[in-house]
Amino acid sequence: MSYDPSNIFGKILRNELPCHKVYEDESALVMMDIFPQSRGHVLVIPKAASRNLFDADPAVLAEVMPLVQRVAIAAKAATGADGVRLAQFNETPAGQTVFHLHFHVIPMYEGVDLGSHGGGKADDGELAELAQEIAARL
Ligand code: 5GP
């Protein structure tokens, strides 16, 4: 299947929709997930157009992974999490719901179960605060 630029992350990347931005450079956007699976759930989104891992340019993957690492370290420090889970879904049966390549950085807390994928919407004030706190540690 091919890339459809009308997906929601495409719109956010074109500034047609808002987000709680953590970081942006010429090749990637980092923002808070508005339906977080845990406190501090962040999405790292390469700007290059690809639907998922299957059609991604390997050079884009190579460039984004160091940023994923930085975001994981920053999110863990900002939230006081005990660990961080990375997730990345490819096509609907695998759990993908937004068809622009992205990486989930999900802080994990000792003894706390992960919320459901695509669960309830978080409070905007809390997301804005977390975005600032993670950005400050990048
Ligand atoms: P996927 O299932 O495609 O791997 O993940 C898509 C993610 O995007 C989900 O975790 C979902 O909560 C998140 N999401 C969906 N719509 C929006 C939105 O409008 N803004 C933000 N920041 N996240 C979204």
Side-chain angles (χ1 to χ4, degrees):
M1 273 185 268
S2 59
Y3 180 77
D4 176 357
S6 68
N7 74 80
I8 201 149
F9 293 172
K11 290 179 180 166
I12 291 171
L13 288 169
R14 293 191 298 274
N15 291 313
E16 293 167 15
L17 289 173
C19 70
H20 292 287
K21 190 189 294 186
V22 174
Y23 173 83
E24 183 170 19
D25 62 22
E26 61 286 351
S27 58
L29 173 71
V30 181
M31 68 178 182
M32 304 308 298
D33 194 308
I34 58 170
F35 305 103
Q37 282 187 268
S38 75
R39 190 172 67 86
H41 183 166
V42 176
L43 299 168
V44 180
I45 309 172
K47 289 185 175 177
S50 79
R51 186 176 162 86
N52 53 38
L53 192 66
F54 299 132
D55 61 339
D57 180 342
V60 169
L61 300 175
E63 187 175 9
V64 78
M65 284 315 289
L67 178 60
V68 170
Q69 180 190 34
R70 283 174 60 203
V71 170
I73 293 167
K76 182 173 182 295
T79 58
D82 302 298
V84 170
R85 181 175 293 186
L86 288 187
Q88 194 278 313
F89 304 98
N90 301 286
E91 299 301 335
T92 304
Q96 186 174 11
T97 59
V98 178
F99 296 94
H100 181 115
L101 177 66
H102 56 279
F103 297 83
H104 297 259
V105 175
I106 307 172
M108 303 292 294
Y109 304 90
E110 192 72 52
V112 180
D113 288 340
L114 208 56
S116 63
H117 183 54
K121 187 175 179 302
D123 176 72
D124 275 316
E126 192 190 350
L127 289 176
E129 206 170 296
L130 279 162
Q132 271 193 358
E133 286 169 5
I134 297 168
R137 288 165 175 84
L138 269 176

